Coordinates of all heavy atoms in Angstrom, one line a residue:
E159 N 34.9 -9.9 -68.5 CA 35.9 -10.9 -68.2 C 37.4 -10.2 -68.2 O 38.1 -10.4 -67.3 CB 35.9 -11.9 -69.3 CG 37.1 -12.8 -69.4 CD 37.0 -13.9 -68.1 OE1 35.9 -14.2 -67.8 OE2 37.9 -14.4 -67.7
T186 N 33.3 -9.9 -72.5 CA 32.4 -10.3 -71.4 C 32.6 -11.8 -71.3 O 33.2 -12.4 -72.0 CB 31.0 -9.9 -71.7 OG1 30.6 -10.6 -73.0 CG2 30.8 -8.4 -71.9
K187 N 32.2 -12.1 -70.2 CA 32.3 -13.7 -69.7 C 31.5 -14.5 -70.4 O 30.4 -14.2 -71.0 CB 31.9 -13.8 -68.2 CG 32.9 -12.9 -67.3 CD 32.4 -13.0 -65.8 CE 33.2 -12.2 -64.9 NZ 32.8 -12.1 -63.5
S188 N 32.1 -15.8 -70.6 CA 31.3 -16.9 -71.1 C 31.5 -18.2 -70.3 O 32.4 -18.1 -69.5 CB 31.7 -17.1 -72.7 OG 33.1 -17.4 -72.7
G189 N 30.7 -19.2 -70.4 CA 30.8 -20.3 -69.5 C 32.0 -21.1 -69.9 O 32.4 -21.4 -71.0
K190 N 32.9 -21.4 -68.8 CA 34.2 -22.1 -69.0 C 34.4 -23.1 -67.8 O 35.5 -23.4 -67.4 CB 35.3 -21.2 -68.9 CG 35.3 -20.1 -70.0 CD 36.5 -19.2 -69.9 CE 36.5 -18.2 -71.1 NZ 37.6 -17.2 -70.8
T191 N 33.2 -23.8 -67.4 CA 33.3 -24.8 -66.5 C 33.9 -26.2 -67.0 O 33.8 -26.4 -68.3 CB 32.1 -25.1 -65.7 OG1 31.2 -25.5 -66.7 CG2 31.5 -23.7 -65.1
K192 N 34.3 -27.0 -66.1 CA 34.9 -28.4 -66.6 C 33.9 -29.5 -66.7 O 33.0 -29.5 -65.8 CB 36.1 -28.7 -65.7 CG 37.3 -27.7 -65.7 CD 38.4 -28.2 -64.9 CE 39.6 -27.3 -64.9 NZ 40.7 -27.8 -63.9
R195 N 30.0 -29.4 -65.9 CA 29.4 -29.0 -64.5 C 28.8 -27.7 -64.5 O 29.3 -26.7 -65.1 CB 30.5 -29.2 -63.5 CG 30.0 -28.9 -62.1 CD 31.1 -29.0 -61.1 NE 32.2 -28.2 -61.4 CZ 32.3 -26.9 -60.9 NH1 31.3 -26.4 -60.2 NH2 33.3 -26.2 -61.1
Q197 N 27.9 -24.3 -62.9 CA 28.4 -23.5 -61.8 C 27.5 -22.2 -61.6 O 27.2 -21.6 -62.5 CB 29.8 -23.0 -62.0 CG 30.5 -22.1 -60.9 CD 31.9 -21.7 -61.2 OE1 32.8 -22.4 -61.0 NE2 32.2 -20.4 -61.7
S300 N 24.8 -15.5 -61.5 CA 25.2 -16.1 -62.8 C 25.3 -17.5 -62.8 O 25.5 -18.2 -61.8 CB 26.6 -15.5 -63.3 OG 27.6 -15.9 -62.4
I301 N 24.9 -18.1 -63.9 CA 24.9 -19.6 -64.1 C 25.7 -20.0 -65.3 O 25.4 -19.3 -66.4 CB 23.5 -20.1 -64.2 CG1 22.7 -19.8 -63.0 CG2 23.5 -21.8 -64.4 CD1 21.1 -20.2 -63.1
E302 N 26.6 -20.8 -65.3 CA 27.4 -21.2 -66.5 C 27.7 -22.6 -66.5 O 27.7 -23.4 -65.5 CB 28.7 -20.3 -66.5 CG 29.6 -20.5 -65.2 CD 30.7 -19.5 -65.4 OE1 31.6 -19.7 -66.3 OE2 30.9 -18.6 -64.6
S303 N 27.9 -23.1 -67.7 CA 28.3 -24.5 -67.9 C 28.8 -24.6 -69.3 O 28.7 -23.8 -70.2 CB 27.0 -25.4 -67.8 OG 27.3 -26.7 -68.0
S304 N 29.7 -25.6 -69.4 CA 30.3 -25.9 -70.8 C 30.7 -27.4 -70.9 O 30.9 -28.1 -69.9 CB 31.6 -25.1 -70.9 OG 32.6 -25.4 -70.0
N305 N 30.7 -27.8 -72.1 CA 31.3 -29.1 -72.4 C 32.1 -29.0 -73.7 O 32.6 -27.9 -74.1 CB 30.1 -30.1 -72.7 CG 29.0 -29.7 -73.6 OD1 29.5 -29.0 -74.6 ND2 27.8 -29.9 -73.5
K307 N 31.3 -29.0 -76.8 CA 30.7 -28.4 -77.8 C 30.1 -27.0 -77.6 O 30.0 -26.1 -78.3 CB 29.7 -29.3 -78.4 CG 30.1 -30.4 -79.2 CD 29.0 -31.1 -79.9 CE 29.5 -32.2 -80.9 NZ 28.4 -32.9 -81.6
T308 N 29.6 -26.9 -76.2 CA 28.8 -25.7 -76.0 C 29.3 -25.1 -74.7 O 29.7 -25.8 -73.7 CB 27.4 -26.0 -75.9 OG1 26.9 -26.6 -77.0 CG2 26.6 -24.8 -75.7
A309 N 29.4 -23.8 -74.7 CA 29.7 -23.0 -73.4 C 28.6 -22.0 -73.3 O 28.2 -21.4 -74.2 CB 31.1 -22.4 -73.5
F310 N 28.0 -22.0 -72.1 CA 26.8 -21.1 -71.8 C 26.9 -20.4 -70.6 O 27.4 -21.0 -69.6 CB 25.6 -22.1 -71.6 CG 24.3 -21.4 -71.2 CD1 23.5 -20.6 -72.1 CD2 24.0 -21.4 -69.9 CE1 22.5 -20.0 -71.6 CE2 22.9 -20.9 -69.4 CZ 22.0 -20.0 -70.3
R311 N 26.5 -19.1 -70.5 CA 26.6 -18.3 -69.2 C 25.3 -17.4 -69.3 O 25.0 -16.7 -70.4 CB 27.8 -17.5 -69.1 CG 27.7 -16.7 -67.8 CD 29.1 -15.9 -67.7 NE 29.2 -15.1 -66.5 CZ 28.8 -14.0 -66.2 NH1 28.1 -13.3 -67.2 NH2 28.8 -13.4 -65.0
T312 N 24.7 -17.3 -68.3 CA 23.6 -16.2 -68.2 C 23.7 -15.5 -66.7 O 24.2 -16.2 -65.8 CB 22.2 -16.8 -68.3 OG1 21.3 -15.9 -68.4 CG2 21.9 -17.8 -67.3
V335 N 23.2 -13.0 -71.6 CA 23.4 -14.4 -71.9 C 24.4 -14.5 -73.0 O 24.5 -13.7 -73.9 CB 22.0 -14.9 -72.4 CG1 21.5 -14.3 -73.7 CG2 22.2 -16.4 -72.7
S336 N 25.3 -15.6 -72.9 CA 26.4 -15.8 -73.8 C 26.3 -17.3 -74.1 O 26.2 -18.2 -73.2 CB 27.7 -15.4 -73.2 OG 28.8 -15.9 -74.1
V337 N 26.4 -17.6 -75.5 CA 26.4 -19.0 -76.0 C 27.5 -19.2 -76.9 O 27.5 -18.4 -77.9 CB 25.0 -19.5 -76.5 CG1 25.2 -20.8 -77.0 CG2 24.0 -19.3 -75.6
D338 N 28.5 -20.1 -76.7 CA 29.3 -20.5 -77.7 C 29.1 -22.0 -78.0 O 28.9 -22.8 -77.2 CB 30.8 -20.6 -77.1 CG 31.5 -19.1 -77.1 OD1 31.7 -18.7 -78.1 OD2 31.6 -18.6 -76.1
N348 N 28.8 -17.9 -82.0 CA 29.0 -17.2 -80.6 C 27.7 -16.2 -80.7 O 27.6 -15.4 -81.6 CB 30.2 -16.6 -80.4 CG 30.2 -15.7 -79.2 OD1 29.9 -14.6 -79.2 ND2 30.5 -16.3 -78.0
V349 N 27.0 -16.2 -79.6 CA 25.9 -15.2 -79.5 C 26.0 -14.6 -78.1 O 26.2 -15.3 -77.2 CB 24.5 -15.9 -79.6 CG1 23.4 -14.9 -79.4 CG2 24.3 -16.6 -81.0
K350 N 25.8 -13.2 -78.0 CA 26.0 -12.6 -76.7 C 24.9 -11.5 -76.8 O 24.7 -10.8 -77.8 CB 27.2 -11.9 -76.5 CG 28.3 -12.9 -76.1 CD 29.7 -12.2 -75.5 CE 30.6 -13.5 -75.1 NZ 31.8 -12.8 -74.6

Side-chain angles (χ1 to χ4, degrees):
E159 178 70 31
T186 59
K187 296 175 181 177
S188 56
K190 294 180 181 178
T191 61
K192 294 181 179 180
R195 183 175 59 85
Q197 178 174 283
S300 67
I301 302 173
E302 58 186 293
S303 179
S304 65
N305 54 38
K307 286 189 175 182
T308 305
F310 169 82
R311 182 181 186 272
T312 185
V335 62
S336 171
V337 178
D338 282 292
N348 172 268
V349 178
K350 289 190 174 182

